[in-house]
Every structure is written in structure tokens, then in C-alpha cells.
């Protein structure tokens, strides 16, 4: 007990009591993991997702074929040849022909071009309108947010099919009409997502510092808030494209899309459905490429979501 209660020695420490480790002093200043920006880190995690990269490869191939596929065949997508109607796939017609003798290979990639254009343009318009509208809602909040939210909820409650029918009555069926009809209410989901992100970010320290230095609303919104919310925006944009493509195919199937002789995956399926059990290739190729496009966009969008998710960082 006496030894336990003995006070500690007050003798000064001497350098001889210490032993120097055999370690490079400069090694302690090295960073074990290289510094990465959020974009590079997201790209590295996206590359490690094999399914997402498969979707990206499929989208690149589809985009290339949509742009140059019609040049790979001597047949025109609109040329009728009644001597070669409903021909199965062969060396001359790789995807066969339809009931008017038109080459299915050329028409399939013409339909891919129209579908991708509709999807990309509709998504781009949704991005611009949704980011601006949602950014204003989230930044100002209060009365402004309440009024703008009620307006978006009213528009969201209107069925888009009703809007498309009204647009077709007013204008002739065309790709522009479909894009306009899809974007009248298609931007609302993007606006709500941007609103939620801006409301989370607008009270951060860097925003308060920028405001204290005299920065205006537009500078804070477009230079600080929206770039920091770019992850969810990109993911939403990626998932908006397949929705627009499927909507275009559905409307064309109903006869509300592009008019003949222009080809669309929806119109090709509509023409082939009456004889799909006799000539299955006429439906196989457009329906198969719609399914493949939906799969590629969805798995790529899921990969982007995981890549930008901070909880997935290691």
C-alpha cells in the first residue's frame, strides 16, 4: 500500500531515456490515399459498378447506331417494295421487311434516332425549367415556395395523355408536338428534387459567407447551390430520358406520335401487332430495342445514384 501511494518522481527526463525509431521522417507527411475531387471519386465508384458500365456501353452503341445505322444498308427506311413484303431476316434485309416491303433494319435505327431525340430534348427542357423553378422555390421559401408549389401540384394532377390529345388536336402529330406535350408537366419532378436540395444547402456556411460579401440571388443559386446539388440532378436527368422514350413509343403506338412514313419504335410495334404470331421479327426488333434501352438507362441511372451517394464512399 505504501508503494502504491508513493508520489511520482519529479526527476527531469533525459534524452538517453528515449530510443529513436528507425523510420523515415518524411514518410509521415505522405498521404496514404491521393486527394480526389467529388467528381473523380464518383467516376471511380461508377467504373467499379459493372452493371452500370454495361448500361453505359449499351447506350453508346445505341447512340452510334441511331446516328449511323441507316448508312450501313443500301435500303431506305421509307422505300416501299411490294415484291418483298414480310421477308424474314436475311443477308439482304438484316432485320427483314414489313408489310410494305420496307427494310426493317433502316426503320429500326430511324426509330432509335427519333426516340433518343425525343428523350434527350425532353430531358434537357425538363432540366432547364425544373432547375430554375425548383431553385427559386427552395431559395426563397415561405410564401413564394407555397404559391409555386401549389401551381406545380395542379399541373402534376393533369394527366399527360389528356395534354397530348389536346396538343394533337391543336397541332399536327409530330416529334415537336410530343416533346412539347411531355415537357408541359415533365419538369415538375426535377423541380421538386431541386427544391429539396436547395432547402438543405442554403443555410450552409459558404452560402452565408457569400451572402455577407454581397453576392446576389442568381450568383448564390447558380454558382454555389445548384453545383453542389448536381449529383441528384444528374441522376434524375438520367432517369427522365427513358421515361420520355417510353412515353413517345406509347403515344406513337396509339397513333398520336410521328406520322408515316417516318419510323418510330411505337409505330413499328403498332403495325406489327396484328400479325406478330405470323411475322414475329416485325415486333421482335423494335420491342427488343425499347426494352434494351430502358434497361441500359435504368441500370446506368442506378449506378450514378450510388456513385453520387455520400453514404457509399469508403
Amino acid at each position: 500500500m505504501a508503494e502504491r501511494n508513493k508520489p511520482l518522481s519529479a526527476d527531469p527526463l533525459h534524452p538517453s531515456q528515449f530510443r529513436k525509431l528507425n523510420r523515415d521522417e518524411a514518410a509521415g507527411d505522405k498521404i496514404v490515399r491521393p486527394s480526389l475531387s467529388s467528381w473523380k471519386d464518383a467516376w471511380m465508384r461508377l467504373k467499379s459498378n459493372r452493371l452500370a458500365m454495361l448500361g453505359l456501353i449499351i447506350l453508346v452503341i445505341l447512340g452510334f447506331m441511331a446516328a449511323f445505322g441507316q448508312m450501313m444498308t443500301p435500303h431506305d427506311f421509307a422505300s416501299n417494295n411490294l415484291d418483298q413484303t414480310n421477308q424474314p431476316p436475311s443477308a439482304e434485309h438484316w432485320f427483314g421487311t414489313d408489310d410494305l416491303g420496307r427494310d426493317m433494319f433502316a426503320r429500326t435505327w430511324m426509330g432509335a434516332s427519333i426516340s433518343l431525340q425525343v428523350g434527350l430534348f425532353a430531358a434537357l427542357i425538363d432540366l432547364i425549367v425544373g432547375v430554375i423553378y425548383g431553385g427559386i422555390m427552395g431559395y426563397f421559401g415561405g410564401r413564394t415556395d407555397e404559391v409555386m408549389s401549389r401551381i406545380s401540384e395542379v399541373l402534376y394532377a393533369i394527366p399527360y395523355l389528356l395534354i397530348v390529345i389536346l396538343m394533337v388536336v391543336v397541332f399536327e402529330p409530330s416529334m415537336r408536338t410530343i416533346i412539347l406535350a411531355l415537357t408541359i408537366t415533365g419538369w415538375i419532378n426535377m423541380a421538386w428534387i431541386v427544391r429539396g436540395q436547395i432547402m438543405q444547402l442554403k443555410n450552409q456556411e459558404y452560402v452565408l459567407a457569400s451572402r455577407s460579401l454581397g453576392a446576389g440571388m442568381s450568383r448564390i443559386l447558380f454558382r454555389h447551390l445548384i453545383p453542389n446539388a448536381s449529383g441528384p440532378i444528374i441522376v434524375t436527368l438520367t432517369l427522365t430520358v427513358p421515361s420520355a422514350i417510353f412515353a413517345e413509343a406509347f403515344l406513337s403506338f396509339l397513333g398520336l406520335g410521328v406520322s408515316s412514313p417516318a419510323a418510330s419504335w411505337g409505330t413499328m410495334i403498332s403495325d406489327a401487332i396484328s400479325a406478330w404470331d405470323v411475322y414475329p421479327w416485325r415486333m421482335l426488333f423494335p420491342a427488343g430495342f425499347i426494352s434494351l434501352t430502358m434497361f441500359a438507362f435504368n441500370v446506368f441511372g442506378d449506378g450514378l445514384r450510388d456513385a453520387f451517394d455520400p453514404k457509399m464512399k469508403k
Side-chain angles (χ1 to χ4, degrees):
M1 182 65 69
E3 292 294 333
R4 180 179 300 177
N5 295 330
K6 185 178 179 179
L8 298 175
S9 176
D11 296 338
L13 299 175
H14 193 272
S16 61
Q17 297 176 287
F18 298 91
R19 180 172 58 88
K20 186 175 182 180
L21 296 176
N22 295 325
R23 181 179 296 177
D24 186 6
E25 295 180 358
D29 297 332
K30 293 182 179 179
I31 301 175
V32 177
R33 183 181 178 182
S35 178
L36 296 175
S37 66
S38 59
W39 289 97
K40 289 183 178 180
D41 185 64
W43 171 244
M44 291 180 61
R45 285 185 282 123
L46 179 63
K47 288 195 298 183
S48 63
N49 190 330
R50 296 183 179 180
L51 193 59
M53 294 306 296
L54 175 62
L56 178 60
I57 293 172
I58 292 174
L59 292 177
V60 171
I61 295 174
L62 287 174
F64 177 82
M65 293 302 296
F68 304 104
Q70 299 177 65
M71 303 178 185
M72 299 179 182
T73 176
H75 304 286
D76 186 69
F77 72 92
S79 299
N80 299 341
N81 189 354
L82 299 180
D83 294 333
Q84 296 183 350
T85 59
N86 296 319
Q87 295 292 317
S90 62
E92 183 179 1
H93 300 282
W94 296 343
F95 288 178
T97 61
D98 62 3
D99 55 346
L100 295 178
R102 296 174 294 192
D103 184 70
M104 289 286 294
F105 183 84
R107 292 183 64 78
T108 297
W109 298 121
M110 177 65 183
S113 177
I114 290 178
S115 296
L116 290 177
Q117 286 184 58
V118 170
L120 293 176
F121 278 110
L124 181 61
I125 296 174
D126 290 348
L127 172 68
I128 296 173
V129 178
V131 166
I132 295 175
Y133 196 91
I136 294 174
M137 282 196 300
Y139 183 83
F140 287 102
R143 184 70 175 177
T144 302
D145 177 38
E146 183 178 355
V147 173
M148 296 179 72
S149 296
R150 298 293 86 78
I151 295 174
S152 62
E153 289 173 0
V154 170
L155 291 175
Y156 189 77
I158 302 175
Y160 83 92
L161 184 58
L162 177 61
I163 296 176
V164 172
I165 294 175
L166 293 176
M167 296 293 295
V168 172
V169 171
V170 177
F171 306 100
E172 62 179 7
S174 65
M175 189 171 68
R176 294 181 181 180
T177 304
I178 294 177
I179 294 175
L180 181 60
L182 293 177
T183 53
I184 288 178
T185 59
W187 55 268
I188 297 176
N189 284 330
M190 177 69 75
W192 287 347
I193 290 175
V194 173
R195 170 186 175 272
Q197 293 294 317
I198 297 301
M199 294 185 71
Q200 293 179 4
L201 297 172
K202 68 179 182 180
N203 292 324
Q204 297 292 327
E205 289 80 1
Y206 61 88
V207 179
L208 298 176
S210 181
R211 188 181 293 114
S212 65
L213 293 174
M217 183 271 291
S218 60
R219 181 178 179 84
I220 294 175
L221 189 61
F222 293 102
R223 293 291 298 273
H224 298 290
L225 294 176
I226 292 178
N228 282 280
S230 58
I233 292 175
I234 292 175
V235 174
T236 305
L237 179 66
T238 308
L239 298 177
T240 301
V241 177
S243 299
I245 292 176
F246 187 79
E248 182 275 329
F250 173 70
L251 295 173
S252 297
F253 177 81
L254 296 179
L256 301 176
V258 295
S259 56
S260 183
S264 171
W265 284 338
T267 55
M268 293 172 67
I269 295 175
S270 178
D271 295 338
I273 195 171
S274 60
W276 70 271
D277 54 340
V278 181
Y279 312 115
W281 61 87
R282 290 177 51 189
M283 181 180 289
L284 174 63
F285 292 106
F289 281 112
I290 288 178
S291 302
L292 186 62
T293 305
M294 298 297 102
F295 168 78
F297 270 110
N298 280 283
V299 297
F300 182 62
D302 290 342
L304 283 178
R305 181 193 59 198
D306 295 338
F308 283 105
D309 189 357
K311 297 179 182 178
M312 301 293 292
K313 293 184 179 180
K314 297 181 180 179

